[in-house]
Amino acid sequence: LTLQHGSAIVSAIKPADNGNAGIIRFWNPTDTPITEGFKLDRPIKTAELCNLNEESKEPVTLGEEFVPVTIAARGLCTVRFTW
């Protein structure tokens, strides 16, 4: 896992509970929203925001090199991804 900016803290990286994807959970320790990007050592096919129960909320548009996610101030962001 490589972060684009290093602004967010990765609080979890694990297999999805259903076993069909991976989960990355970010925490933003700052008082302002941030956008962080991430990539793996293999191409990511899909990414979507989900809640803490890993239920889908909305798709994430993949960037050319990094997958960008916006994290609320002092907030968590959970991303489900496939490769």
Side-chain angles (χ1 to χ4, degrees), residues 9-56:
I9 294 172
V10 176
S11 63
I13 183 165
K14 67 180 199 80
D17 287 343
N18 68 10
N20 295 330
I23 296 291
I24 299 176
R25 190 162 291 128
F26 297 96
W27 175 56
N28 174 2
T30 72
D31 292 326
T32 58
I34 59 173
T35 298
E36 182 63 88
F38 72 93
K39 68 178 180 177
L40 303 174
D41 63 350
R42 60 185 73 188
I44 294 175
K45 290 184 183 176
T46 65
E48 61 186 354
L49 299 179
C50 56
N51 62 23
L52 292 174
N53 291 325
E54 301 177 14
E55 298 164 334
S56 298

